Amino acid sequence: MELADRAVGFILSSISVTIFTYYTFWVIILPFVDKDHFVHNYFLPQEYAILLPVYAGVTLICFLSVFIGYVMLKSKKKKA
Amino acid sequence: MKHIAKIMAFFMAVTAVWISLLQTAMISQSHTWLLPLYFIVSLGCYGLLMVGVGLMQFPTCPQEAVLLQQDVIEAKQFLKHNGVDVGTD
């Protein structure tokens, strides 16, 4: 099972590096590039650079709250 | 309580630096507005990277696993010999 662990770890690291470079490019480098450079086709419009992380954060908080509420309800039902 | 005070002081310092960057406009204003969000996203990325690297470098110690299994068998035999119920075998 060591190989499965290493594969999952490698996938996680590669996803994090991809997200970091893409987001760095998006937020910091792209505003300095001219408007009709071809690289702008590979990136979504700048508003999404704000919307996507906020949306992901809100989804994460909602999921955590639902999970905590579910666990609390289940423990209360088992006691009663 | 002192730890929280230190964390709050650090947070206040970072906020002061950010507001001063906004006022003096050394970096362009649109960049400065996005800077906190960028740092939060990069912090999440860094955490994910550390988890991935830790997973890749986790040692499994195969010899110790075998020795542990032998210890378990030995302990079960000893306890069964002395009359303690060790459950499923």
Side-chain angles (χ1 to χ4, degrees), chain B residues 9 13-14 17 19 27-32 36-38 43-44 46-47 49 53 63 65 67 69 74 78:
Chain B
V14 168
V17 164
I19 294 183
I27 316 176
S28 73
Q29 283 252 330
S30 55
H31 272 85
T32 315
L37 191 61
Y38 175 70
L43 179 74
Y46 171 73
L49 182 75
V53 164
Q63 301 107 326
L67 288 179
Q69 293 294 333
E74 205 175 302
F78 175 76

Side-chain angles (χ1 to χ4, degrees), chain A residues 8-30:
Chain A
V8 169
F10 183 68
I11 289 177
L12 278 183
S13 320
S14 59
I15 285 180
S16 87
V17 166
T18 315
I19 291 183
F20 180 70
T21 46
Y22 189 82
Y23 198 71
T24 306
F25 235 91
W26 210 359
V27 169
I28 296 187
I29 298 185
L30 227 52

Side-chain angles (χ1 to χ4, degrees), chain B residues 1-75:
Chain B
M1 280 312 280
K2 287 194 188 144
H3 207 62
I4 291 186
K6 275 194 272 191
I7 294 179
M8 294 296 290
F10 175 71
F11 192 64
M12 286 291 142
V14 168
T15 313
V17 164
W18 183 56
I19 294 183
S20 69
L21 264 184
L22 265 182
Q23 297 291 67
T24 60
M26 282 193 294
I27 316 176
S28 73
Q29 283 252 330
S30 55
H31 272 85
T32 315
W33 277 110
L34 290 176
L35 216 54
L37 191 61
Y38 175 70
F39 278 131
I40 293 176
V41 168
S42 70
L43 179 74
C45 257
Y46 171 73
L48 201 62
L49 182 75
M50 284 294 117
V51 165
V53 164
L55 254 186
M56 282 209 297
Q57 291 182 345
F58 197 79
T60 51
C61 316
Q63 301 107 326
E64 278 83 353
V66 170
L67 288 179
L68 189 63
Q69 293 294 333
Q70 288 177 354
D71 281 346
V72 165
I73 292 176
E74 205 175 302

Side-chain angles (χ1 to χ4, degrees), chain A:
Chain A
M1 286 304 113
E2 181 178 328
L3 196 58
D5 278 348
R6 303 254 307 255
V8 169
F10 183 68
I11 289 177
L12 278 183
S13 320
S14 59
I15 285 180
S16 87
V17 166
T18 315
I19 291 183
F20 180 70
T21 46
Y22 189 82
Y23 198 71
T24 306
F25 235 91
W26 210 359
V27 169
I28 296 187
I29 298 185
L30 227 52
F32 290 129
V33 176
D34 300 324
K35 271 307 164 187
D36 37 342
H37 201 280
F38 76 98
V39 79
H40 275 281
N41 302 334
Y42 289 111
F43 291 93
L44 299 169
Q46 269 256 323
E47 306 92 40
Y48 287 105
I50 308 173
L51 280 180
L52 273 179
V54 170
Y55 183 68
V58 167
T59 311
L60 185 73
I61 292 179
C62 282
F63 173 69
L64 283 177
S65 320
V66 163
F67 182 71
I68 291 177
Y70 174 68
V71 166
M72 282 171 70
L73 280 176
K74 205 159 72 155
S75 77
K76 193 163 291 183
K77 203 193 302 183
K78 202 188 289 187
K79 204 187 290 185

